[in-house]
Amino acid sequence: MVLGIGNPGRADDGVGALIGGRLAGQLPANVTLVVRSGDIITLVDTWADYDALVCVDAANPMGQPGRVHRLEGADEALAESSSLTSSYGFGLAEAIALARELQTLPETVVIYAVEGACFDIGAPMTPQVAKAAADVAERIIEEVDRLSWVEAGATM
């Protein structure tokens, strides 16, 4: 599953949705693409049916808007990262921590977090974040290809 998270009506918070839109029609048929805005708690059970999960979301400002961070989501330290805490209370880090506790977290979780600068309602996405979207979409396509290859190699 590839999951793009974000609210396009909140400036840089919409980067996950933008990237999800760029990925439509670009992924293999056996990969489910989900674009979600707001509450992602409903996905905790849904992604349990997948071996691998690739997520993309905006990150809180850490110094360089548009900078991309690749994180391994099965890592316990992810829950301590404040950069993936949603501005609406329950974000990706919390959803992953919950899925880990419920034992519904896929074996492989990769997160692409794009640093944002502005999360204001109605504001446009900052140019640095919009520019990063094309690169991240390509990186996710490569990630999916790599995971598919690893999966195919594991069954041989």
Side-chain angles (χ1 to χ4, degrees):
M1 173 184 277
V2 172
L3 172 61
I5 303 168
N7 182 344
R10 296 191 68 207
D12 295 343
D13 189 50
V15 72
L18 175 63
I19 293 168
R22 288 178 179 260
L23 292 171
Q26 302 296 312
L27 299 171
N30 65 336
V31 175
T32 301
L33 174 64
V34 176
V35 177
R36 184 66 51 105
S37 174
D39 181 23
I40 62 170
I41 188 68
T42 57
L43 293 172
V44 171
D45 285 330
T46 304
W47 65 39
D49 297 329
Y50 294 87
D51 295 327
L53 173 65
V54 178
C55 301
V56 60
D57 197 4
N60 288 330
M62 293 178 275
Q64 185 178 344
R67 181 170 45 185
V68 178
H69 302 266
R70 184 189 177 278
L71 308 166
E72 296 287 336
D75 183 0
E76 293 285 336
L78 179 66
E80 299 169 10
S81 171
S82 63
S83 63
L84 291 175
T85 300
S86 171
S87 58
Y88 27 80
F90 192 89
L92 182 57
E94 292 86 1
I96 287 173
L98 177 60
R100 184 181 297 111
E101 288 296 317
L102 296 174
Q103 299 180 348
T104 61
L105 189 66
E107 184 176 326
T108 302
V109 179
V110 177
I111 300 162
Y112 286 91
V114 182
E115 282 186 47
C118 177
F119 296 89
D120 296 339
I121 295 171
M125 187 174 291
T126 58
Q128 302 94 321
V129 172
K131 183 177 178 186
D135 176 58
V136 174
E138 288 301 316
R139 289 174 66 177
I140 290 173
I141 291 168
E142 291 171 8
E143 191 82 50
V144 166
D145 288 345
R146 181 189 66 79
L147 290 170
S148 297
W149 183 81
V150 168
E151 176 87 12
T155 59
M156 294 183 161

